[in-house]
Amino acid sequence: MVGKKSGKALRDEGLERTDNNMPLTNWPQVAPINQKNYYTEYLKRDDQFLAFRLANEEARTKMTKKAKDRDRARAMDKSTANDEADAEVDADADEDANSEDEDDTETEAAGSKVIVIHVGSQNLRIGLSSDALPKTMPMVIARKSQINESDEREEPKPKRLKRDDGTDEDPERAFGEEWSSHYTKMSADLKARMKANKRRMLPNPKEGVINFNRKQTPDSISEHNDPERVDWTELENPAPEYIVGQPALRIPDASKPRYKISWPIQYGWCNERDYNSKRMLFTDISVIIEEAIKTQLGLTRKKEWSQYSCVFVIPDLYEKSYVTQILEMLMREFSFARVCFIQESLAATFGAGFTSACVVDIGAQKTSICCVEEGMCIENSRVNLKMGGNDVTETFIKMMLHDYFPYYDINLWRRYDYLLAEELKKNICTLDEAKVSPQAYDLHLRVSGHDTQKHNFKVFDEGHLAPMGFFEPTIFDNQMKLTGRRKLIERSTDIYDGQPNDPTSAAQSEIMTALAPPLAPNEKMNGESESQAAPARPALGRIQEQDATPRSSVAGSPAPENAGTPQAGGTTAPASVPTTQSARDPVEYRDDILPIFPLDNAILTSIAHAARSDEKKMRDFIGGIMVVGGGSLTNELHAFLEARLKALRPGFLKEIMIGVPPRDLDAQVVVWKGASIFGKLDNTNDSWIGQLEYDRLGHRLLTHKCMWAY
């Protein structure tokens, strides 16, 4: 065995180990983390968020500027240096005065440099925050086309049935037996109610109205003898590519070239039914808003818009995909300096000056209900119904046609007929039973290039029963309201678990549950070629349990689209019984069920979920109901709604009260007025999104900037 060699022997043989101080690798060596005890501060402090850092930097900048201004004022004020005590008092007084003047200047500047936008299904309201009232224009655009919108649709609106030989059906049977029987029942109930209230009625008033209308023939009036003739939109040469607002509705239907009008927003949703491209849909929204800024506000130079901020009003139950698209539009296309969002119901309380209220906003095509308390919308009280003033207009025309209205060819797809129907509704419809009696009216049909036609007609109870549809919505025509839903815009989903993350509420889920019937055997789910079918109706307690359950729980996870498939034997398994398919998330019911519900019951449902069994809150909300929106302008709607609520809740007869906006403010502009007040709160409003923040973080900022749980 060879022994160990000495160092001298290894050096002589050239085998001595030497160290050249070079590492074994160039990769940095990271010490392993102690798995038993480690800690991180990542995203655990406010100063690690860009939004908070920029806000703090802005506050520090303002504080530094004030300090410099104060030092400059003290240095210039040398005349009072003899008396130190007086100098300090005067300096403090000057400082307070300068602060107040500076605040007033900043408030005025913010108010005049803030654009407030409220987009509705029928109207767009826009103005500066410093304006007393907004400018209103129809939310419509007309583009060049081969045919107009009335020629594109073969059937008129309201739709009439035809005989087998193709001729028109009798007016009493033109809308189907089911609708006719429903209308007859509503009329009989009204007569019984009026008789119980000791109101005098003529014998057989309906027959007298029908006989009068049957005998009427129109009178012709030449255009130069018509004092209220319409100024139709004159097309330039060459004709413009598009026309927006009121001029679009006054384009003659037989214009050369033809124009087709489109409404980008319908029923509070994006109008996916009449558009084939998502890009074209939001392009039209952008064009309408851009033209409104130029024509209504006088800001024709787009370079100036970067000096303005924008307050945009969104629905209470919004869709995140719509909000993010609007945010990108305002930031990228319009280049506003700052943008913030406010919910409709919260804006309504700002405009009315209320701290807490149950806001009922009846619009043209949707009705939203939400309870607001101390500047916050109560999430579980939000309700969104797809009915409004346009449904009343169409139903009113159907009822008059049923009673042999002389102008039987009326078609609401035509622009002049649509404007005529809106005018008749405003003049005739009322919920005051004392005014229900046979009354004579006349209308003037004005068509471009034709003489004015004057029609005389009578109405009896049509003007009362049409707005009664708010409380019996099955009288409305709801067949087309879900057509095209989700054709262009997908549901917003969470990036981590893939679940729908649009906001939900317990009140809306309860209404959806009440409306959801079980699927019939062999009936398919909602499809393009199939009729609209509702999902299997789950138990009410199950929906409420899902709303209170975290997103990651089993109860809150969505099921496949065929969750309501009938089991063997032809019966549908109830949702409360455990099956292989889990219950669907409440947010998914938005696409399958049309939320149409009686207005009085929807209000009580919203208040019940806001109060959460608290008697004091229940009395506060039920005594602070505020009705706003254009649909609330129906004569005596407030008194009628109050009577209906008292009949449903007799235990709150003294508390139930329907309020109106104070200071004689128009109910249509209350929401915009509140948003304009919100836009002036520069010093207390932390929800502004700036260009630098948006460039770096995008729509993720909404999670930190919105005043509610986005």
Side-chain angles (χ1 to χ4, degrees), residues 549-613:
T549 306
R551 179 74 67 178
S552 59
S553 66
V554 177
S557 59
E561 290 297 324
N562 58 351
T565 304
Q567 306 296 321
T571 59
T572 303
S576 58
V577 178
T579 61
T580 57
Q581 298 171 343
S582 58
R584 300 177 65 195
D585 195 279
V587 73
E588 297 192 25
Y589 290 109
R590 282 187 177 186
D591 302 338
D592 299 326
I593 306 173
L594 183 67
I596 296 292
F597 206 66
L599 181 61
D600 47 358
N601 289 323
I603 293 174
L604 294 176
T605 302
S606 174
I607 293 176
H609 284 276
R612 299 183 64 87
S613 303

Side-chain angles (χ1 to χ4, degrees), residues 73-84:
R74 287 177 176 176
M76 295 176 63
D77 191 9
K78 297 180 180 180
S79 61
T80 58
N82 296 330
D83 192 347
E84 296 181 359

Side-chain angles (χ1 to χ4, degrees), residues 360 362 431 471 599-601 603 625 627 636-647 656 658:
V360 182
I362 305 176
L431 283 171
F471 308 96
L599 181 61
D600 47 358
N601 289 323
I603 293 174
I625 301 174
V627 183
E636 295 298 324
L637 173 64
H638 297 74
F640 190 86
L641 176 59
E642 188 172 315
R644 296 273 301 196
L645 293 175
K646 288 181 178 179
I656 293 178
I658 306 297

Side-chain angles (χ1 to χ4, degrees), residues 400-428:
M400 290 202 301
L401 291 172
H402 184 275
D403 295 338
Y404 290 83
F405 183 54
Y407 179 34
Y408 188 76
D409 293 332
I410 188 171
N411 180 7
L412 298 185
W413 293 124
R414 292 196 290 254
R415 300 155 200 169
Y416 55 86
D417 283 346
Y418 166 76
L419 297 175
L420 174 64
E422 286 287 323
E423 181 182 358
L424 292 176
K425 179 192 71 171
K426 293 177 182 178
N427 295 335
I428 299 175

